[in-house]
């Protein structure tokens, strides 16, 4: 989902400034201005993330990057990383926040579905007793323990009821299903109590919250002219006779 900043979008600002400069100085100034504007756009989107999201992680904030204009291509762009060596790439979970639509299932949710624990079409959200990090996300260690426990209890003879007509998958300290008429989810058995760790909810639909393209385009309108004028002055000051 790159947002490109191209020369033809800024021709009026270019034409006003280039009359007294050489053919070699102008392309150099254009590249500087495009790149500086793209950096401003990236930083503006990053600031907006901290406003519309609750404690975004460093991974999310650092997912924004600039592809800089080069000598042969007068074009820069602001992008979101679509690859991650571990976990979910930022593009996948930010796309619904930008364009709206359904949230994608997370990796651990797909694992729960494959194990027959999470019903199709539903998502797993933290329960009131989940172990959360500073950003409000479940800690990976607890998710790993849950997946390990539920997979270890795949033997149907180890399942037991958790309410009328219900069956649960149970192993070690976690089980999936209902408890005392509560919602479907994953529960932790601790000191003879069942604690809600994950709850199963209908798939969520998001309204656009992060106006990514609009912010970048507005930055082009408000910042490119100033950057281009400054770049021309720099090019003129450093030009060789």
């Amino acid at each position: 989902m790159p947002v490109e900043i191209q020369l033809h979008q800024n021709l009026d600002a270019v034409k006003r400034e280039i009359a007294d400069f050489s053919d070699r100085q102008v392309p150099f100034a254009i590249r500087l201005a495009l790149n500086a504007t793209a950096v401003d756009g990236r930083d503006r989107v990053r600031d907006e993330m901290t406003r519309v999201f609750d404690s975004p992680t460093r991974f999310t904030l650092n997912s924004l990057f600039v592809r800089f204009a080069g000598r042969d291509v007068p074009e820069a762009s602001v992008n979101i990383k679509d690859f991650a060596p571990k976990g979910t790439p930022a593009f996948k979970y930010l796309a619904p926040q930008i364009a709206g639509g359904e949230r994608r299932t997370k990796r651990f949710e797909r694992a729960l579905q494959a194990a027959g624990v999470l019903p199709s079409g539903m998502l797993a959200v933290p329960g009131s007793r989940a172990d959360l990090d500073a950003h409000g996300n479940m800690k990976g260690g607890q998710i790993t323990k849950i997946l390990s426990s539920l997979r270890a209890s795949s033997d149907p003879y180890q399942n037991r009821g958790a309410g009328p007509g219900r069956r649960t998958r149970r192993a070690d300290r976690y089980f999936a299903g209902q408890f005392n008429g509560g919602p479907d989810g994953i529960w932790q058995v601790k000191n003879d109590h069942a604690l809600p760790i994950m709850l199963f909810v209908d798939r969520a639909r998001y309204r656009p919250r992060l106006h990514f393209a609009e912010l970048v385009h507005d930055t082009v309108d408000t910042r490119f002219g100033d950057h281009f004028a400054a770049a021309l002055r720099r090019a003129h000051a450093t030009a060789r006779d």
Side-chain angles (χ1 to χ4, degrees):
M1 190 179 291
V3 178
E4 297 175 348
I5 302 172
Q6 299 174 334
L7 176 59
H8 67 75
Q9 295 172 308
N10 309 283
L11 284 180
D12 290 340
V14 173
K15 290 176 181 178
R16 287 195 298 268
E17 302 289 347
I18 64 174
D20 297 328
F21 292 87
S22 72
D23 291 341
R24 188 169 60 182
Q25 292 170 325
V26 170
F28 173 72
I30 288 172
R31 291 198 303 274
L32 290 181
L34 288 172
N35 291 336
T37 303
V39 169
D40 284 350
R42 178 203 63 192
D43 293 345
R44 188 172 174 188
V45 174
R46 185 175 290 161
D47 289 343
E48 184 71 358
M49 284 180 170
T50 65
R51 189 184 71 82
V52 301
F53 300 145
D54 183 18
S55 301
T57 65
R58 182 176 298 179
F59 179 83
T60 297
L61 295 175
N62 290 341
S63 67
L64 296 169
F65 71 97
V66 171
R67 185 167 285 114
F68 292 102
R71 184 182 298 272
D72 299 324
V73 181
E75 178 180 301
S77 61
V78 182
N79 306 265
I80 300 173
K81 295 177 182 177
D82 59 2
F83 170 78
K86 294 183 179 180
T88 303
F91 176 81
K92 287 189 175 181
Y93 59 79
L94 286 176
Q97 304 287 352
I98 295 170
E102 292 186 348
R103 171 170 81 73
R104 293 172 179 260
T105 53
K106 299 179 180 180
R107 182 176 297 181
F108 80 86
E109 291 170 326
R110 293 193 295 272
L112 290 173
Q113 289 175 342
V117 174
L118 178 64
S120 177
M122 301 193 78
L123 303 175
V125 300
S128 61
R129 302 303 294 271
D131 190 10
L132 305 180
D133 62 20
H135 304 285
N137 300 314
M138 285 192 65
K139 291 184 177 179
Q142 187 173 44
I143 291 175
T144 299
K145 289 178 181 178
I146 290 170
L147 293 178
S148 177
S149 295
L150 296 180
R151 287 173 177 171
S153 63
S154 59
D155 184 349
Y157 292 102
Q158 294 183 3
N159 295 340
R160 74 178 186 181
R166 303 293 299 183
R167 302 286 290 175
T168 64
R169 189 181 296 270
R170 178 187 176 97
D172 297 333
R173 301 168 64 191
Y174 295 96
F175 68 91
Q178 290 182 327
F179 180 77
N180 283 346
D184 277 316
I186 294 174
W187 305 74
Q188 182 181 19
V189 178
K190 192 171 185 179
N191 297 328
D192 296 327
H193 292 84
L195 309 179
I197 305 301
M198 292 183 184
L199 302 179
F200 299 161
V201 299
D202 291 332
R203 188 178 295 275
R205 291 193 64 85
Y206 291 104
R207 294 181 178 179
R209 298 173 63 194
L210 181 64
H211 301 292
F212 179 53
E214 293 89 338
L215 288 168
V216 175
H217 288 313
D218 184 68
T219 302
V220 174
D221 292 340
T222 58
R223 297 295 297 146
F224 179 82
D226 290 341
H227 282 309
F228 185 60
L232 279 176
R233 290 193 295 270
R234 175 181 171 184
H236 182 67
T238 59
R240 297 178 181 177
D241 295 332

